[in-house]
Amino acid sequence: MTRRADRLFAVVQLLRRGKLVTARQLGERLEVSERTIYRDIADLQASGVPIDGEAGVGYLLRAGFDLPPLMFSREEIEALVVGARLVKTFVGAGLGRGAEDALSKIEHVLPDGLKRELEKSRLFVPEFLADAGVQAVLEQLRQAINQKSVVQFGYQREDGLRSERAVEPLGLFCWGRTWTLAGWCELRNDFRHFRLDRINALVLTERHFQEVAGRSLSDFFRAVEAQERDRKAAEA
């Protein structure tokens, strides 16, 4: 069973997201009853944590409240370590450095006993698995997505057919060792996804786009879900 101190900390963390959260939602997330959540909220408020709201409506953490340096369990530390190693190997140097810097900041606020856990992880991601070409393409596409820049590139399909594409990049997806780009393809006037290892001569253009209705990432997800429903219906 989760220690009460850990649960109180978790309640504050969930409320820090800035959205109205009901006792039922908190109870489901933390696997306790609503009555327990009501007691936890009351105790937190009594100890000076600025929580606004009421039973039956929901709760918010008032802006400006912060917590002392975080504590992590061994599992949480190991998850952070292996996550940083995965990012460095499969995403590339840019985000890899960011992950390592984040771990360094976390290390500074950990007590000595937990600091040693950062070094003890036996979960490794061999760097020889990294594909420098894919990493370079991924880094450019990540920049294009953040800037909402239309990209142009050459693409070779599995059957060898080549084409030139102009795409509004919407998201990058990792499928193990394979990455794909999802976006709105101007050539096909529809959503398409592209394997990064088949992209060449990638250029970020000076054209920018906005995610409009029918061409957004949410619309892409809905289209994929509809295709999956149709596939299952056809197989039934």
Side-chain angles (χ1 to χ4, degrees), residues 39-210:
R39 286 199 301 266
D40 289 346
I41 293 291
D43 289 344
L44 287 167
Q45 289 172 325
S47 66
V49 179
I51 298 173
D52 294 326
E54 59 182 279
V57 177
Y59 299 96
L60 281 170
L61 186 65
R62 202 173 305 151
F65 179 76
D66 205 356
L67 291 167
L70 301 180
M71 283 297 156
F72 295 92
S73 68
R74 178 175 180 176
E75 288 75 17
E76 290 168 337
I77 290 174
E78 198 155 27
L80 292 169
V81 171
V82 73
R85 291 173 179 173
L86 282 166
V87 167
K88 185 176 180 181
T89 297
F90 291 111
V91 180
L95 285 183
R97 285 191 299 271
E100 289 182 341
D101 289 346
L103 278 179
S104 178
K105 291 177 181 178
I106 291 169
E107 183 178 6
H108 285 308
V109 301
L110 292 175
D112 291 339
L114 288 178
K115 284 181 181 179
R116 288 192 288 271
E117 297 295 339
L118 286 173
E119 303 171 357
K120 287 169 57 178
S121 175
R122 298 293 183 91
L123 296 174
F124 300 100
V125 185
E127 292 190 20
F128 68 81
L129 294 174
D131 186 321
V134 168
Q135 287 182 345
V137 171
L138 191 149
E139 183 63 26
Q140 286 182 282
L141 288 173
R142 188 171 67 87
Q143 179 182 349
I145 290 171
N146 290 338
Q147 297 177 352
K148 295 192 179 302
S149 298
V150 175
V151 293
Q152 292 180 338
F153 53 81
Y155 191 71
Q156 180 175 331
R157 297 192 328 195
E158 186 176 6
D159 61 8
L161 184 66
R162 298 174 181 271
S163 59
E164 296 294 323
R165 304 295 181 109
V167 174
E168 297 176 3
L170 299 175
L172 292 161
F173 298 82
C174 182
W175 309 89
R177 293 183 61 184
T178 302
W179 281 89
T180 60
L181 165 71
W184 181 266
C185 178
E186 294 183 354
L187 178 65
R188 304 303 184 198
N189 196 36
D190 201 354
F191 294 115
R192 288 292 187 272
H193 50 86
F194 307 90
R195 282 182 50 153
L196 268 59
D197 56 354
R198 295 177 182 165
I199 289 176
N200 60 81
L202 174 67
V203 175
L204 276 65
T205 73
E206 295 183 359
R207 290 197 292 131
H208 295 275
F209 67 95
Q210 296 297 323

Side-chain angles (χ1 to χ4, degrees), residues 14-22 25-26 58-61:
L14 291 169
L15 293 177
R16 291 181 74 188
R17 296 177 180 177
K19 297 180 180 179
L20 191 70
V21 185
T22 65
Q25 291 171 327
L26 290 170
Y59 299 96
L60 281 170
L61 186 65

Side-chain angles (χ1 to χ4, degrees), residues 22-33:
T22 65
R24 175 178 292 183
Q25 291 171 327
L26 290 170
E28 290 175 350
R29 178 65 182 271
L30 300 175
E31 299 181 345
V32 295
S33 68

